[in-house]
Amino acid sequence: MQTYEFDTLILGGGPAGFSAGLYASRGGVSTALIDISMLGGQPSNYLELENYPGFAKIGGFDLMEKFEQHADMFGLQKFPMQEIEIIDLVSQPKVIKTKTDEFHAKTVIIATGAKPMKLCIPGEEEFIGRGVSYCAVCDGAFYKDKVIAVVGGGNSAVEEAVYLTKFASKVYIIHRRDELRADKIIQQRAFANDKIEIIWDSCVTEIKGDKTVNSIILKNAKNGESSSISVDGIFPYIGICPNIDKFSGQIAQDSKGFILTDETMKTSIDGVYAVGDVRNTPLRQVITAASDGAIGAVHSVKYIETLKEVKV
Ligand code: NAP
């Protein structure tokens, strides 16, 4: 096990983490970024973004590569594939032990993002990878000429349903209400797509299959009636929950677990900042994650300056 010392340690290599890495490194403090897996975060799995200013259309992976290269220019040190085992955010320096290394840092910027919420219904866990998927870009190509159900009515569900029509012969969007939550421009693309059928006011109550998924059971929210439809795959897109397993209990969170911050991205602990999807924020976009990262990093650098003043 090797021990590293940095001024700032960033947890998470998505847009918020890279932006924080760029601003902190450029701010003149030694900065490292660790991630549980490969770098790039959630946008790496987005086929295309069309609302990141300056790029009319850009692949999610390509944009994250640009973020990473830009942070590299200012000397950000990167440690992918680091699974956190122990974390002490209150001590000074703060201590993060991973399976292989130990990191000490004056400030920590939490940019661990969020993960898909599960339906928590019978058959879901059993058929993961055999008809249940949370990533259309990763798995869509397996469903050529097949029938797919996408669950949810938000931007993710509707965008991914439209994307899946590139492969599938039919895509059902199953939504629990009679109105979609997705942005109007995204809704219009779904309404105009012949391969998409929306099943309103319905919840999926069970996923059935043999070796792979072959049907789902629906319950109508208005009349309580149950029905079954044949599908080859199901993609739940019912929202996200924060990746906070390792620091739950150490830090103030909202009722859904998202980390609470002030306008400087400071959390309830001195020297600890939270940026991007992991924090309680009204908008979860690449642009807002990048903005959070910049704000958090600038204030983290200022905090490090105050530590130096105390020593003198
Ligand atoms: P979301 O906006 O929270 O939408 C979740 C959807 O799932 C809602 O329609 C919700 O229904 C439904 N739902 C929640 N729990 C459910 C359950 N147990 N069973 C069935 N349906 C359930 O989540 P998201 O679409 O994953 O998006 C997350 C964030 O990323 C949002 O801020 C979104 O705007 C952003 N995003 C933006 C873009 C873009 O701008 N291009 C793309 C993707 C995501 P109700 O509507 O009834 O609550």
Side-chain angles (χ1 to χ4, degrees), residues 2-13 17-18 20-22 24-26 29-35 39 68 70-80 82 103:
Q2 193 162 348
T3 302
Y4 296 94
E5 299 204 357
F6 292 100
D7 287 325
T8 298
L9 183 67
I10 298 163
L11 313 181
F18 279 134
L22 188 164
S25 308
R26 190 170 176 274
V29 300
S30 65
T31 309
L33 179 154
I34 67 172
D35 195 293
L39 305 177
E68 184 175 351
H70 199 168
D72 287 346
M73 276 172 52
F74 297 102
L76 174 68
Q77 296 199 43
K78 299 169 295 185
F79 299 82
Q82 291 274 353
F103 297 87

Side-chain angles (χ1 to χ4, degrees), residues 24 121 134 187 194 285:
I121 55 171
Y134 304 89
Q187 291 191 28
D194 291 342
Q285 298 277 305

